[in-house]
Amino acid sequence: MEILRYTEQKIVRFLDRVSALQAGAHAQGDSIAALAAIYKLFDTHRETLKALQAPGVDAAVVANHCQVVLGALFQYLPLLGFLHRSKSASNAFELYGPLRSLAAKIIGPDARLILSSEWDFSPLTWVRMLDFPQYVLLGLPASEARNGLLMPLAGHEFGHSVWVRGRYSASLKSTLVDSVILNIRARIVEWTKHFPSLVDETKLPTDLFYVQAWLRAYQSAMLQCEETFCDILGLLLFGTSYLHAFAYLLAPGIPGARSPGYPSIRQRAGYLAELAGADNIDVPNGYVELFNDTPKLSDPDEDFLVSIADTVVHAQLSTLSTAVRDHLAACDYVAPTSVEIEEIAARYALLAPAGTPSSLAALVNAGWRVAVNADIWQEFPQVRARRDDVLNELVIKSAQVLEFTERVTNAS
Amino acid sequence: MPLSAAYLSAPDDGSRANLAMAASLAAIAFDRMARGENASLGEVSKLVEVLKAAIKPQELDETENDSSAPSLLDPVSVELLRRALASTSAPVAPPSIPELSKRIQMSIQRLQKAARITDNVELQSLREFCLVLSQSAQLEMPATLGGVRIPILE
């Protein structure tokens, strides 16, 4: 069975790469543990493959397991790449300590964080790593990885881990299914145009042909709920600075049709503005208008189902917001006060980092106040000429002050 | 009606994501037993746990008693298991969720009795069920064996 030998060989070579990565220097301690865990996992796969070499093993069993293991290789090689890039000097290692502290507070004390500068313009996270559920992998676009003002986007990415750990999808499942069916019934004439062979609405809940037809609306709604939950977490963790960071990186939107798994970019901005307003978080003027609306999906059936999902998600906004609030309250998270933010902004105006910041949110909100102040540093023309870089250095330096302060506090 | 990758890369709670691996390892265990060798039933137990987490048997009981309760099952898990059952047993006709729920429940019970099974035909049947389940899970969620990569915007 050559396929078995080849599969084992691929595992051996994969393990060689893990070993090579383990040998290098690591600024983030959690990546060392991650590499060790990945090695152990694939070593187990190697042992299982060896056992399959015994005579008489069913050929279909072997073929299937080789395919499953090959799938694992497809999954984990990009993760190895992530761990490789986490060692790059383009990462803002100064932010690692404070972000790890925040992750432990918001996600759980056992949370392990790995930051990486990625060759993908969208910040991203890896979640649902069933073999390593405690890990949070946070990737920032390489060209922006040292931009301290984008730290609020980590709040969104942490949200995915909170979502998974809190099993929010399980608690929403019934509500979303009910809501999808309810909304289809409310638009039953449209439904029958899209699905002319499925016209008996009494069969919507129980007939598998009907379920298969509306499954996409349910899945789209669930994914959108998760993304919205994460946006709300980012907003409530980082306040106005989340709105600024989101707009800086993503406005006015990216070309192409929207993904069904996300609310449209303008809708996301609308949700954020709506919730910020209700929470007394300042919303920049004309915020929602910064984002373009996205065209309809080209497939009319899919567009109809996603429109059902959009309605379902909008109805869950309050529930999602309450869930995030409850979670943050359970974590004893306290948002920085406006006075504290103003004090730090005043220090930035004097070209000094924060003195004793209480949180990342405080120092990054102060950073954005300076960033949007058109008159800042008029009296320092040499500084003003490179204001963005100077401000970023102030924010990053302040993060180091925060880490030092936290360490001293923890030690005492 | 194919499902797009955007949908497929989103398991509900992660419990289904390692189904492909768990089912494959259980198939290996049943294959060993069918060949008269000792096999650890730990892998079968793991599969049972994954299935229970994915479909919530207590909800199946409720569904059996109330065929009008549409929200108690995760439709993605149901579809995945329907495919596995359809390949290894008589098709469910008409395709109703309560009937399918009973069959899923029975399959879990069969797996739970694995330690006491000596009948080779039954062992081979369970091996086939696990194989098809593993293949079905791979078809449904190829991107979720190790983790899911989620960008902030796609």
Side-chain angles (χ1 to χ4, degrees), chain A residues 215-374:
Chain A
L215 188 59
R216 287 188 293 174
Y218 163 78
Q219 291 176 307
S220 171
M222 185 61 86
L223 287 165
Q224 286 195 42
C225 279
E226 179 174 344
E227 290 297 332
T228 304
F229 177 94
C230 296
D231 277 344
I232 297 170
L233 187 72
L235 176 70
L236 297 186
L237 275 178
F238 285 97
T240 303
S241 65
Y242 183 77
L243 300 176
H244 284 302
F246 188 85
Y248 168 85
L249 204 69
L250 302 176
I254 55 177
R258 65 175 280 197
S259 166
Y262 298 72
S264 75
I265 188 73
R266 195 178 170 102
Q267 188 65 74
R268 283 175 79 174
Y271 290 161
L272 285 169
E274 183 181 332
L275 293 167
D279 235 81
N280 295 321
I281 294 171
D282 290 338
V283 180
N285 286 335
Y287 186 73
V288 178
E289 288 69 36
L290 291 172
F291 298 87
N292 292 336
D293 219 341
T294 42
K296 285 189 167 193
L297 296 168
S298 55
D299 179 342
D301 295 345
E302 187 172 35
D303 192 67
F304 169 72
L305 291 170
V306 171
S307 75
I308 294 280
D310 289 345
T311 309
V312 169
V313 174
H314 189 241
Q316 293 304 312
L317 208 52
S318 170
T319 302
L320 294 169
S321 172
T322 301
V324 173
R325 263 174 242 284
D326 289 348
H327 178 76
L328 291 180
C331 298
D332 293 327
Y333 180 79
V334 180
T337 65
S338 190
V339 171
E340 184 187 3
I341 292 168
E342 201 50 56
E343 282 174 0
I344 298 172
R347 288 182 63 91
Y348 289 168
L350 296 171
L351 296 171
T356 52
S358 65
S359 65
L360 274 178
L363 58 91
V364 80
N365 269 289
W368 276 107
R369 283 200 189 179
V370 171
V372 298
N373 180 354

Side-chain angles (χ1 to χ4, degrees), chain A residues 348 351-354 377 389-399:
Chain A
Y348 289 168
L351 296 171
W377 297 323
D389 289 343
V390 170
L391 176 59
N392 192 46
E393 286 307 311
L394 285 168
V395 172
I396 286 180
K397 188 60 71 182
S398 298

Side-chain angles (χ1 to χ4, degrees), chain A residues 45 56 58 64-65 67 75 120 122-123 125 127 129-130 169 174 178 205-206 208 212 215 218-219 223 259 262 268, chain B residues 10 12 14 21 24 31 35 67 70-71 75-76 79 82 95 97 134-135 138 143 146-152 154:
Chain A
H45 290 332
D58 183 76
N64 181 67
H65 198 68
Q67 184 168 307
Q75 273 298 313
D120 187 325
S122 175
T125 187
V127 292
M129 301 201 305
L130 290 173
S169 60
S174 299
D178 285 344
T206 52
L208 284 175
Q212 281 175 325
L215 188 59
Y218 163 78
Q219 291 176 307
L223 287 165
S259 166
Y262 298 72
R268 283 175 79 174
Chain B
D12 265 5
M21 181 66 77
S24 183
D31 185 64
R35 286 185 286 115
S67 62
S71 319
V76 181
E79 170 58 13
R82 183 194 65 77
I97 287 179
S134 176
Q135 288 159 356
Q138 291 171 68
V148 182
R149 175 186 169 282
I150 308 179
I152 199 169
E154 190 174 64

